[in-house]
Amino acid sequence: WLKFEVSQAMQKSDLVFADRAVVPCHIGTDVCDDVCEQLRALKADQLLVVTDPAVQKHHGDYLKQLQDDLPVHIYQLPCGDAAKSLKNLVDLVDWAFDCGATKSSVVVGFGGGAVMNVTGLFAGMMYRGLRLAYMPTTLLAMHDVTTSLKTSICHRGRKNNIGIFYAPAVILMDVGLCRSLPRDELFSGLGELAKNAALFGGKHAEVFSRALERESVDCRNGGSGEEFSLDDAALLTLTSLGVAAKMDVLAVDAFEKTAGMVFEYGHTFSHAIEKAYGDGVVPHGVGVCYGMLCCSFVAERMGLMSAEARQKHDTLCRLVTDRFPLPQPQPAVECVMRLAMKDSKRGILGEAEHEIADLLLSEIGHVISKHPSNLYKFPAHIVEDWLDSLGFCRESVSSSAVPLVMGKGTLRTPCPTAGRGLTLSQLKFHDKAVVPCYLGSDVREEVQERLLSHAADRFLVVSDQNVLKHHPGYLADLAKEVPVFERVLPCGDAAKSWDHLSDLVRWAFDCKATKRTIIVGFGGGAVMNVTGLFASILFRGSKLIYVPTTFLAMHDVTTSLKTSICFDGRKNNLGTFYAPVEIVMDVDFCGSLPRSELFSGLGELLKNAALFGGEHAAAFTEALEKAATDERNGGSGEEFSLDQDVLLKLVHVGMKGKMDVLAEDAYERTSGMVFEYGHTISHAIEKAYGDGVVPHGVGVAYGMLCCSFVAEKLGLMCTDDRHRHDAMCRLLTDRWPLPEPRPSAAAVVRRALRDSKRGVLGESAEEISDVLLIRVGEIYSSHPTSLSKFPVALFMEWLLDAGFLVGTTDTDSSEDEEVEYSLPAVEEAVRGLFPGSLSSIRPLAGGFCADLHVAELRDGRSVVVKQLQLEHLAMQLATTPSQIHRNFELASSLGVGPRTYGLANNCLVMDLVAGHHPRLEDMTDAVVGRFASIVRKLHDSVAVDGTPLVWKWMNCMAAFVADGASTLPAEDQSFVDAVLTEVAEIRDTFDQQELLIGFCHGNLKPLNVMVCGSDVNLIDFDASGCNYRGYDLMKFFRKDEPFGDCLFQRFLGQYSGNSWSTDRLAREARMCEPLTYLEPAIFFLFLAVKESGQCMQWIEKARWRFSQYQDSIAEVGLTTV
């Protein structure tokens, strides 16, 4: 096993993850300088460091010396599993783009296991994989978390059910960091070592037992372990022992799906116990030891383990559990069982509804193996008996507990493959995957037989609106055999959003997806992209089958391991690499394709024709020259069509072009980058026009014309060769001219400068990169990626020659640029969005986070310009302009807020909402009904997960107040301390209430509601996001507002529908009323610290609101814990 000596010099060992990765691991004690040197060696353009408050408190200066060498950006996640949420993941992505992350950036996970888990997933999705350095700070993270390719977050009360497998570039361990660990973190690491001791016995059991028997324990405390400590030598020994245990197994099973599943020992029950108590109460490693005790109980009950063997096994576990007893009161048995039945491993063994699975041992060092995964299923009631024996309580009969029953599906014996009309090809992606691909024409029956042959427990079919329109019953026969659930996404790139990805995840769990569920991508390229990403993160990889319905998806999209969505106005900048289990193609789908989709597929074939020449150029040219074109339309291509024989040939040739290259470069990072030819420019043109205006393949053709222009200007391509290249492109572009009016050249260039490939070549601000050719079939290659960088000026010259406008129009700028907050910035934003239309600007209102202006346009319209203050947004609401922009766009799409035109220069431009703020006399039945319906519509619009934002705001402001409290008058210090204490402690009380959450407005006071006749609209969505529904409602109906209980009951009657009783809603809203006073109290203290000249005024307001808080919390009967 790996052995490291105590030394202040770092020692290196390569961690081998089967054939997937070899990761250098450096370890030492007090080696800060060496760690920083290793990070410098990565030659990053910037470091994106993800950490948590505990690490920042103890080791905040650890990387300080690097700040003189390169930009170091730091993001703090919450401590523990609270970090592992979809909300925090998207916040990290937002932050990375705000920092200007490129492909040359390096992500650093600096913290415990939770930080490693979410940081790994974040790095793996950014640009389909940024370089990642792990710097673990806890014993558990060092020997167990970073020595795995697993990444994860938790969703909807389940542990680690979203994630991917992703290898770091380097692991840097300084065991000296463990000296600052609290007792629970130390025991969490020891718990996983106890698991290894039980699994492998021998040296692992001996060293573990010896380390815990030699601890410094205060015997007068009954061996409680309060004084437990480990010296540096013991820490180093235990860490190396844990690393060795993992790597012995992962060297043959990198993805932990067969032999590597042994490390799940005890985890089914540990995860359930941890979640039942709530995040952070029971340390993970301690939970594992209790899970192991449960497994040994089961093994003995089933006659698989003797009483003597169980005693020896349990003695190891109790070296931890005796020092860390479970807190009282314990959760209910039914609660733990419900969570255990939702474990992410469920489905692997096809458990019945009364069964559950974990690993079982016959004795220390001997795993009972009846399945490749080493899992063993057994009756769930045995686990209930074990929980009873430990004193877990039972829920009362009147409890609203969900029955312990999993969804049932009719399983079908796999049918034989008929193969009629389907031709099988094996697509080899280097050493990463071999994917069977079936191709045929008019093969609906065979396609369904292929799907059924995989013996899924259910199918989750993701399609789009075009598929629903043209092929509604294509997969209908599947439902006769297996449960089928379908989700319909918008067409095109509109499907590729974070919101749709989140919604798919929520939907999967609503459908009771398991690891035996198969996800089917049934649609065009956009559906394939987002479905692939969805499948790759669900349970760290669910089975995926592609059934493409467009020409482009058939030969170009599904023949790649790439998955993606678009984020922050950029194309395909979040994603993974993931292989489907099968691809099934029926080219008969192409008969229903609109002209735009057909030409999109031809554009990517044109690219192959230019890259490879030969048969690719011949097939493309022949197809377009023989097309049935109406010559009277001037060869416009209006009547263009391709028969099925030609389609089959083109799909086959297109697949061959991809696979000849991807057989050597599965992840398209070296030779595979040639398929990016023309894409820097095409993506920029497509985004400048807006999604769906220019078909992707057509955009690629124009991008290729730009690249040949640049190549000739640089002397790489002669005029004759450019003429031959461009003649092929014009077989397509002459049939699809770009629409008029064209976007401005500046708008296109701005988007190209944000391309997802940017940073690979270390481009300067005046450079851009794409693939360049010498001639058709010959690529100019000065870099392993085949990319070449060239002056942006050449790109701009081509755009102007091609007829793009000279101005600075930009209809979709979402960049959070650092700009001066001045009227010129407002004017520039309006002129950019409405060129030539600005008449005048006048101020409307001012606030802490934004100033409002009204811009009058020459056509008589008025728009509001919300000028956002970055610093204040970050300090008060911990948000960004891009997040606020997304909130407003969502409200606009729902019809509950003003139409939004765009974000530019941190100025958000929207329609001026007519009307006035509500008065009592306005609140007719029609107005109340409309108001209730739009609030409910907003609350239900987006699936939310994570911490309600009100806690995030208050904690953010409380931290600022605590840091600056010394600047406040001495006589107010006790009051400030009281408010800060209340903010810190009241959260526990609310967490126990299980209040309803939703996507809330966040500041639904009457001033943010507009009434015009019987119409009602909401404004100001700066604070929108996950929050308590009751908090939203009480901001409008609390007792210091003019709307009484009678009106509130009328509103709740309309709002509730058939979902909840009005009594429950009213009770929860009243419970949230205290928070509507505590939040402004801490805000006024925040202003007192920030604006010291008006300190007394703000403190007086804070006292007033805190007094209201104390009164209201007494009225609703809540007390702090």
Side-chain angles (χ1 to χ4, degrees):
W1 51 289
L2 299 171
K3 185 169 179 63
F4 300 98
E5 301 295 334
V6 178
S7 169
Q8 290 192 337
M10 294 193 87
Q11 300 167 67
K12 177 190 172 192
S13 180
D14 286 335
L15 307 187
V16 179
F17 294 90
D19 58 348
R20 297 300 165 183
V22 178
V23 179
C25 175
H26 301 262
I27 187 169
T29 305
D30 297 330
V31 285
C32 176
D33 290 345
D34 290 339
V35 167
C36 290
E37 194 55 41
Q38 289 295 329
L39 291 175
R40 289 189 189 96
L42 295 174
K43 299 188 182 304
D45 62 358
Q46 60 186 306
L47 296 181
L48 304 174
V49 180
V50 183
T51 185
D52 64 31
V55 174
Q56 197 66 8
K57 174 183 177 182
H58 295 289
H59 314 293
D61 292 335
Y62 195 86
L63 299 177
K64 188 174 183 179
Q65 61 177 277
L66 290 174
Q67 294 175 352
D68 295 331
D69 304 321
L70 77 167
V72 178
H73 306 285
I74 297 176
Y75 189 96
Q76 292 188 49
L77 294 169
C79 294
D81 271 7
K84 296 167 62 173
S85 71
L86 272 174
K87 176 66 170 61
N88 286 327
L89 180 61
V90 74
D91 284 348
L92 276 173
V93 173
D94 255 336
W95 165 72
F97 288 122
D98 288 343
C99 294
T102 74
K103 287 193 173 181
S104 294
S105 305
V106 169
V107 175
V108 180
F110 185 34
V115 168
M116 302 296 109
N117 286 162
V118 71
T119 304
L121 180 54
F122 158 58
M125 292 176 65
M126 283 287 296
Y127 298 122
R128 296 194 189 94
L130 284 180
R131 287 178 296 163
L132 168 66
Y134 280 145
M135 290 176 52
T137 61
T138 67
L139 180 60
L140 177 64
M142 287 179 186
H143 71 75
D144 185 69
V145 179
T146 60
T147 52
S148 170
L149 301 185
K150 289 180 177 180
T151 73
S152 65
I153 56 174
C154 305
H155 186 61
R156 300 187 72 179
R158 305 188 189 195
K159 188 93 170 177
N160 301 333
N161 54 348
I162 302 293
I164 60 175
F165 291 90
Y166 191 65
V170 67
I171 302 170
L172 305 170
M173 300 186 191
D174 184 346
V175 297
L177 298 173
C178 291
R179 296 192 199 105
S180 65
L181 288 181
R183 179 171 170 271
D184 58 345
E185 283 289 355
L186 195 57
F187 273 80
S188 200
L190 289 170
E192 289 282 4
L193 290 170
K195 176 193 72 181
N196 293 349
L199 286 172
F200 307 119
K203 179 74 73 173
H204 298 279
E206 293 169 17
V207 174
F208 175 77
S209 298
R210 191 162 58 245
L212 269 74
E213 287 167 358
R214 287 166 44 192
E215 79 286 2
S216 302
V217 176
D218 183 353
C219 293
R220 290 171 298 179
N221 287 335
S224 67
E226 290 296 332
E227 304 303 319
F228 184 86
S229 65
L230 293 170
D231 60 26
D232 289 346
L235 283 168
L236 200 59
T237 299
L238 289 170
T239 299
S240 61
L241 183 73
V243 172
K246 289 293 286 283
M247 301 321 301
D248 284 348
V249 177
L250 270 57
V252 295
D253 179 23
F255 288 170
E256 303 179 48
K257 292 188 173 174
T258 53
M261 283 288 279
V262 295
F263 295 114
E264 290 292 312
Y265 182 42
H267 279 55
T268 300
F269 311 114
S270 72
H271 287 165
I273 290 169
E274 292 165 51
K275 279 295 181 185
Y277 269 102
D279 292 342
V281 177
V282 177
H284 173 62
V286 175
V288 169
C289 288
Y290 282 98
M292 292 161 59
L293 289 172
C294 177
C295 289
S296 69
F297 179 94
V298 171
E300 184 185 15
R301 175 73 68 87
M302 296 183 70
L304 303 173
M305 177 184 275
S306 68
E308 182 183 2
R310 183 185 170 202
Q311 183 178 15
K312 291 179 180 177
H313 170 279
D314 292 2
T315 298
L316 282 175
C317 299
R318 291 200 170 97
L319 288 171
V320 173
T321 60
D322 284 353
R323 296 183 172 94
F324 217 113
L326 290 173
Q328 297 294 334
Q330 293 170 335
V333 170
E334 292 84 354
C335 175
V336 177
M337 292 304 296
R338 281 197 298 274
L339 292 165
M341 287 293 195
K342 294 163 67 178
D343 185 72
S344 63
K345 298 182 292 297
R346 188 168 185 83
I348 293 176
L349 300 187
E351 303 93 327
E353 63 184 44
H354 63 279
E355 293 179 317
I356 200 163
D358 205 312
L359 281 90
L360 297 179
L361 307 186
S362 59
E363 60 181 330
I364 290 174
H366 291 275
V367 179
I368 300 170
S369 183
K370 295 177 62 177
H371 186 270
S373 68
N374 292 311
L375 290 172
Y376 199 109
K377 60 184 179 183
F378 43 85
H381 71 79
I382 302 178
V383 180
E384 295 187 45
D385 291 346
W386 176 77
L387 290 168
D388 286 333
S389 73
L390 259 68
F392 282 75
C393 61
R394 287 283 182 170
E395 289 180 346
S396 63
V397 176
S398 62
S399 169
S400 59
V402 179
L404 299 179
V405 178
M406 300 300 289
K408 298 180 181 179
T410 306
L411 298 183
R412 184 183 190 279
T413 302
C415 69
T417 304
R420 298 188 301 275
L422 283 173
T423 302
L424 172 64
S425 299
Q426 298 288 350
L427 307 187
K428 182 181 180 183
F429 296 91
H430 191 43
D431 59 348
K432 305 302 180 187
V434 177
V435 179
C437 177
Y438 294 86
L439 174 63
S441 176
D442 194 16
V443 285
R444 175 179 174 239
E445 189 174 318
E446 291 92 326
V447 169
Q448 294 187 91
E449 288 175 351
R450 288 300 324 144
L451 294 178
L452 288 169
S453 71
H454 291 271
D457 65 352
R458 68 204 67 211
F459 288 104
L460 303 184
V461 180
V462 183
S463 64
D464 61 30
Q465 292 162 347
N466 279 337
V467 173
L468 185 65
K469 176 181 177 182
H470 295 291
H471 315 289
Y474 191 87
L475 299 178
D477 291 346
L478 291 180
K480 299 175 182 178
E481 306 289 346
V482 181
V484 176
F485 304 88
E486 186 171 6
R487 199 69 163 186
V488 179
L489 298 177
C491 296
D493 273 6
K496 296 167 61 174
S497 71
W498 183 269
D499 286 343
H500 286 305
L501 178 63
S502 303
D503 185 57
L504 285 172
V505 171
R506 180 195 58 75
W507 166 67
F509 292 119
D510 286 345
C511 297
K512 295 182 171 61
T514 73
K515 289 195 173 183
R516 294 181 57 222
T517 299
I518 289 181
I519 296 169
V520 180
F522 182 37
V527 167
M528 303 296 107
N529 288 161
V530 69
T531 305
L533 180 54
F534 160 52
S536 75
I537 66 174
L538 187 69
F539 301 123
R540 295 196 190 96
S542 295
K543 289 183 179 178
L544 168 68
I545 296 178
Y546 284 141
V547 184
T549 61
T550 68
F551 190 29
L552 176 65
M554 288 178 187
H555 70 76
D556 185 70
V557 180
T558 59
T559 52
S560 170
L561 300 185
K562 289 180 176 178
T563 74
S564 65
I565 57 173
C566 304
F567 193 89
D568 194 34
R570 309 184 192 198
K571 186 94 170 179
N572 300 334
N573 55 345
L574 283 187
T576 59
F577 291 93
Y578 192 65
V581 296
E582 190 168 293
I583 304 167
V584 192
M585 302 185 192
D586 183 349
V587 298
D588 193 49
F589 285 127
C590 295
S592 65
L593 289 181
R595 181 170 169 267
S596 60
E597 285 288 355
L598 197 58
F599 272 74
S600 204
L602 287 169
E604 290 284 1
L605 288 172
L606 164 66
K607 176 192 69 182
N608 291 354
L611 287 171
F612 308 122
E615 64 175 316
H616 300 278
F620 176 80
T621 304
E622 181 185 3
L624 268 75
E625 287 178 346
K626 294 174 62 179
T629 301
D630 183 351
E631 294 294 338
R632 290 170 298 175
N633 286 338
S636 68
E638 290 295 334
E639 304 302 319
F640 183 86
S641 64
L642 296 171
D643 61 35
Q644 291 194 349
D645 287 339
V646 174
L647 283 167
L648 279 167
K649 180 178 180 180
L650 289 175
V651 169
H652 176 76
V653 170
M655 290 168 56
K656 185 177 185 299
K658 288 291 286 283
M659 301 319 301
D660 285 350
V661 177
L662 270 57
E664 300 298 325
D665 179 23
Y667 287 172
E668 303 178 47
R669 286 179 173 160
T670 52
S671 58
M673 284 285 277
V674 295
F675 296 115
E676 292 293 313
Y677 183 42
H679 280 55
T680 301
I681 290 90
S682 72
H683 287 165
I685 291 172
E686 293 164 50
K687 281 295 182 185
Y689 269 103
D691 291 342
V693 177
V694 177
H696 173 63
V698 175
V700 170
Y702 283 98
M704 292 165 59
L705 288 172
C706 177
C707 288
S708 69
F709 172 88
V710 171
E712 185 183 16
K713 286 284 186 179
L714 294 175
L716 302 174
M717 180 182 279
C718 72
T719 302
D720 287 346
D721 287 331
R722 182 185 172 203
H723 177 76
R724 282 190 283 272
H725 172 280
D726 291 3
M728 281 199 309
C729 296
R730 292 200 168 94
L731 287 172
L732 199 60
T733 60
D734 285 352
R735 292 182 170 96
W736 197 293
L738 289 173
E740 299 292 346
R742 299 189 181 187
S744 74
V748 180
V749 168
R750 276 199 294 276
R751 286 167 173 80
L753 289 171
R754 301 168 67 197
D755 185 73
S756 63
K757 298 181 293 295
R758 187 163 187 85
V760 173
L761 299 187
E763 304 93 329
S764 71
E766 292 76 34
E767 291 178 319
I768 202 167
S769 63
D770 206 313
V771 176
L772 298 178
L773 304 188
I774 297 172
R775 61 182 60 86
V776 170
E778 186 175 351
I779 300 161
Y780 174 72
S781 182
S782 60
H783 187 270
T785 63
S786 296
L787 290 174
S788 296
K789 57 185 178 181
F790 49 86
V792 173
L794 290 178
F795 179 27
M796 178 69 80
E797 184 180 345
W798 176 81
L799 288 167
L800 296 176
D801 285 351
F804 286 79
L805 305 174
V806 178
T808 59
T809 303
D810 186 355
T811 59
D812 185 28
S813 174
S814 59
E815 300 167 272
D816 294 342
E817 302 167 337
E818 291 290 342
V819 295
E820 183 180 355
Y821 300 111
S822 60
L823 203 56
V826 176
E827 290 177 355
E828 183 182 347
V830 177
R831 293 185 195 280
L833 293 167
F834 303 96
S837 297
L838 180 61
S839 175
S840 63
I841 292 179
R842 58 182 171 84
L844 179 63
F848 183 74
C849 291
D851 293 319
L852 297 179
H853 307 269
V854 174
E856 308 288 351
L857 306 182
R858 297 187 190 281
D859 61 4
R861 286 182 296 160
S862 298
V863 295
V864 173
V865 184
K866 188 180 186 81
Q867 190 176 22
L868 301 167
Q869 310 275 358
L870 284 185
E871 179 189 10
H872 293 176
L873 287 172
M875 286 193 296
Q876 185 195 352
L877 299 179
T879 189
T880 65
S882 59
Q883 179 60 56
I884 292 173
H885 184 201
R886 285 195 293 275
N887 293 345
F888 273 82
E889 286 189 319
L890 174 64
S892 176
S893 70
L894 295 172
V896 305
R899 177 183 176 184
T900 305
Y901 295 100
L903 176 70
N905 299 333
N906 294 319
C907 294
L908 187 61
V909 183
M910 68 200 82
D911 276 339
L912 179 65
V913 178
H916 59 269
H917 303 307
R919 303 178 293 250
L920 270 176
E921 57 267 27
D922 295 319
M923 305 307 281
T924 63
D925 286 345
V927 169
V928 172
R930 162 69 179 168
F931 182 33
S933 70
I934 64 173
V935 173
R936 176 67 187 268
K937 190 174 186 179
L938 180 66
H939 285 181
D940 291 347
S941 62
V942 176
V944 293
D945 179 60
T947 301
L949 285 176
V950 64
W951 302 115
K952 185 175 179 181
W953 307 330
M954 290 200 291
N955 289 339
C956 186
M957 291 185 286
F960 185 89
V961 171
D963 287 343
S966 60
T967 64
L968 300 176
E971 61 267 28
D972 294 310
Q973 291 296 323
S974 59
F975 167 66
V976 173
D977 290 341
V979 176
L980 293 176
T981 299
E982 201 68 12
V983 169
E985 295 183 354
I986 191 64
R987 167 77 183 277
D988 289 340
T989 299
F990 275 83
D991 283 348
Q992 295 173 13
Q993 306 305 315
E994 297 184 349
L995 303 178
L996 295 170
I997 61 172
F999 187 92
C1000 295
H1001 182 279
N1003 194 17
L1004 195 62
K1005 57 187 179 183
L1007 290 178
N1008 286 326
V1009 180
M1010 300 295 289
V1011 178
C1012 185
S1014 61
D1015 196 21
V1016 183
N1017 282 286
L1018 308 181
I1019 58 175
D1020 193 4
F1021 298 89
D1022 297 12
S1024 298
C1026 174
N1027 222 327
Y1028 299 122
R1029 293 177 185 240
Y1031 179 82
D1032 242 11
L1033 303 184
M1034 286 314 296
K1035 289 288 278 191
F1036 191 92
F1037 288 102
R1038 66 186 179 189
K1039 58 178 175 286
D1040 63 345
E1041 298 294 349
F1043 310 106
D1045 282 338
C1046 180
L1047 183 58
F1048 189 29
Q1049 290 299 320
R1050 284 167 54 202
F1051 172 93
L1052 291 178
Q1054 297 287 336
Y1055 176 92
S1056 64
N1058 296 319
S1059 302
W1060 308 286
S1061 69
T1062 56
D1063 286 344
R1064 176 184 177 178
L1065 289 171
R1067 183 174 63 253
E1068 290 201 10
R1070 294 298 180 201
M1071 208 171 293
C1072 288
E1073 186 171 15
L1075 294 183
T1076 70
Y1077 298 118
L1078 183 60
E1079 185 266 333
I1082 191 66
F1083 174 60
F1084 289 137
L1085 285 181
F1086 169 84
L1087 292 180
V1089 173
K1090 183 159 181 58
E1091 301 175 8
S1092 56
Q1094 298 176 284
C1095 171
M1096 299 309 298
Q1097 170 191 338
W1098 296 127
I1099 289 178
E1100 189 60 31
K1101 287 180 177 291
R1103 288 184 180 278
W1104 165 53
R1105 285 303 192 189
F1106 192 66
S1107 172
Q1108 290 178 303
Y1109 163 77
Q1110 291 174 312
D1111 291 342
S1112 63
I1113 205 165
E1115 288 174 9
V1116 298
L1118 291 177
T1119 57
T1120 55
V1121 176

